[in-house]
Amino acid sequence: MKFFKPFYIQPRFFYAGIGIVVLFGLSYFIPVLFNIAQLSILVLVLLFVIDFLTIFIGKHKIEAERILPDKFSNSDNNTVNLQIKNNYPISIHLEIIDEIPEQFQKRDFKIKHRVAPRRSKNISYKLRPTERGEYHFGSLNIYATSVLNLVAKRFTFSSDAMVPTYPSFKQLKKFELLNINKNSLEYGLKKVRRLGHTMEFEQIKDYVMGDDLRTINWKATAKRNQLMVNQFQDEKSQPVYSIIDKGRIMKMPFNGLSLLDYAINSSLVISNVVLKKHDKAGMLSFSKRIDNVVVAERRSSQMQLILEALYNVNTDFFESDFSRLYANIKRHITNRSLLLMYTNFETMDGLNRQLPYLKAIAKSHVLVVIFFKNTELETLIKNKAETVQQVYDKVIAEKFDFEKRLIVNELKKYGIYSILTTPENLTIDTINKYLEIKSRGLL
């Protein structure tokens, strides 16, 4: 029984059998077809035996291995490689069914390939996870058939593999800003004019045309008998915290990901940018309580600490407690810092309930409230209304869209910076705001 367990009869055998049955039926009316039908049975049985012996004689005729990355990057395409070797002396047709994790909900996953005799082949496919956590793979099933395709033998490999899915670390390469001044246009970043001189002194250099006359160092000029100017650089080692609201409002879905996942991916990228700009990066999440705290530091292991903390951020479906957040910030973040708060406000009433705490936080820190446009409402507003119900829906959508803009103005009134953005532009807009604040010396 064990020998026949991987034995499968292919549909082509049954199609041929149905054809023979039809020939026998027609032979009642055309007697000459009876002999042809009998001969067809013999040919089919002979070919079946030949195909069976070809596929089943010998061991380890197919070797395969599934090669997985150490971890998946959430919301990105991740490559899974299959290395397959054909030890048969003939070309083999393979039907590959990989038992991919249940999170992908793919019931029709199938890859077909032909492998030359005694040759190896590398096959790859991509998976795009939309949730963080553990992804468990099942067995790698390979069905081998010859050119006759009457019999298939199943080979099973690589069972019970697990890959953790982390926040989108692949975006770090995309937004690598080591040469930010040279490559800023490539990432869609905007140039910001610097105001004042709230920068750290770097060096004294010769004056060249275009240098600010206010930076002339008169003592150095007198010693060298030529104009010398002070050169400044952005202040370094300033604390920057990503604060992620993980309450129920952040569970809203967009293109397969929740707003929480977009905020997590953006926090990972902005933390990398902050460290590359020689500032200190930290993070925390909040809802009913404060979790996943990483104190802002600038060290070699900081990105790994932030990545591990972001991996464990999950919504708890409670209403977020901004009063607890304010108390925690006042107690533990004593130095003036840039706080990038990822949350969402849909109405002015929702903002007004939390505004006293936001104002209190903004007194000691530079606070940037990051919330999201409702793109479904924007689509509804752009569509032409043709019925009374559509007119009603469009008016309500315009009201909510207008309230989003009112929220921006209300925050601005109290010296709180804000970013109103779409989920797909979140990372770029956050980087722009950070660079703008640094360039203007607001921190």
Side-chain angles (χ1 to χ4, degrees), residues 30-187:
I30 309 173
V32 69
L33 293 179
F34 184 76
N35 294 329
I36 296 176
Q38 287 182 315
L39 181 61
S40 297
I41 289 179
L42 293 175
V43 172
L44 180 59
V45 171
L46 180 62
L47 292 176
F48 182 86
V49 172
I50 292 173
D51 199 21
F52 178 84
L53 295 175
T54 301
I55 294 298
F56 276 81
I57 289 180
K59 295 183 178 180
H60 309 297
K61 290 296 185 178
I62 296 294
E63 298 177 13
E65 182 183 8
R66 181 202 295 126
I67 300 176
L68 296 169
D70 294 333
K71 52 183 176 286
F72 282 158
S73 177
N74 193 24
S75 77
D76 296 316
N77 287 324
N78 299 269
T79 302
V80 177
N81 292 304
L82 305 176
Q83 289 186 348
I84 300 173
K85 184 179 180 181
N86 174 20
N87 294 322
Y88 284 99
I90 60 172
S91 293
I92 291 295
H93 297 266
L94 303 178
E95 186 176 280
I96 304 167
I97 300 178
D98 198 359
E99 297 176 0
I100 62 178
E102 61 181 6
Q103 289 94 328
F104 295 104
Q105 290 296 302
K106 287 189 177 182
R107 303 297 184 220
D108 57 349
F109 183 87
K110 187 183 295 183
I111 300 174
K112 293 185 177 182
H113 270 279
R114 174 182 169 274
V115 184
R118 305 194 187 282
R119 294 294 180 90
S120 298
K121 192 162 192 176
N122 292 326
I123 302 169
S124 64
Y125 63 90
K126 295 184 182 298
L127 296 174
R128 181 180 180 268
T130 56
E131 299 176 8
R132 285 165 292 113
E134 295 183 350
Y135 283 63
H136 293 268
F137 285 79
S139 299
L140 173 61
N141 302 289
I142 298 179
Y143 296 83
T145 60
S146 69
V147 68
L148 295 176
N149 196 23
L150 298 175
V151 176
K153 182 178 181 180
R154 185 182 71 178
F155 296 85
T156 304
F157 307 94
S158 304
S159 59
D160 301 327
M162 190 279 288
V163 180
T165 296
Y166 279 78
S168 183
F169 54 84
K170 284 191 174 183
Q171 289 190 28
L172 298 182
K173 294 181 180 179
K174 180 180 177 181
F175 296 101
E176 187 65 56
L177 302 180
L178 283 173
N179 296 318
I180 184 65
N181 294 327
K182 183 183 296 184
N183 300 326
S184 59
L185 295 179
E186 179 182 347
Y187 302 111

Side-chain angles (χ1 to χ4, degrees), residues 238-242 267-268 270-276 278-283 294-299 302-303 306:
Q238 295 175 306
V240 179
Y241 281 88
S242 297
S267 298
L268 184 64
I270 194 64
S271 297
N272 186 54
V273 174
V274 166
L275 293 173
K276 297 298 182 184
H278 306 288
D279 283 332
K280 300 177 181 178
M283 67 149 291
V294 178
V295 178
E297 295 288 348
R298 185 174 177 269
R299 51 191 171 188
Q302 190 71 359
M303 277 306 299
I306 292 174

Side-chain angles (χ1 to χ4, degrees), residues 338-400:
L338 171 60
L339 307 180
L340 302 171
M341 182 184 295
Y342 297 89
T343 184
N344 199 31
F345 294 111
E346 292 292 340
T347 63
M348 281 295 297
D349 289 338
L351 172 68
N352 288 331
R353 287 198 300 269
Q354 314 302 345
L355 193 56
Y357 307 112
L358 298 178
K359 289 162 57 178
I361 294 172
K363 287 181 180 179
S364 304
H365 305 279
V366 178
L367 176 62
V368 180
V369 176
I370 305 167
F371 60 111
F372 300 88
K373 295 179 181 178
N374 193 325
T375 53
E376 294 297 326
L377 291 182
E378 292 183 349
T379 302
L380 190 60
I381 292 170
K382 291 177 182 177
N383 292 338
K384 185 179 179 180
E386 297 179 350
T387 65
V388 175
Q389 182 64 42
Q390 289 176 347
V391 171
Y392 176 79
D393 292 340
K394 189 171 183 177
V395 170
I396 296 299
E398 289 177 345
K399 174 182 179 296
F400 280 109

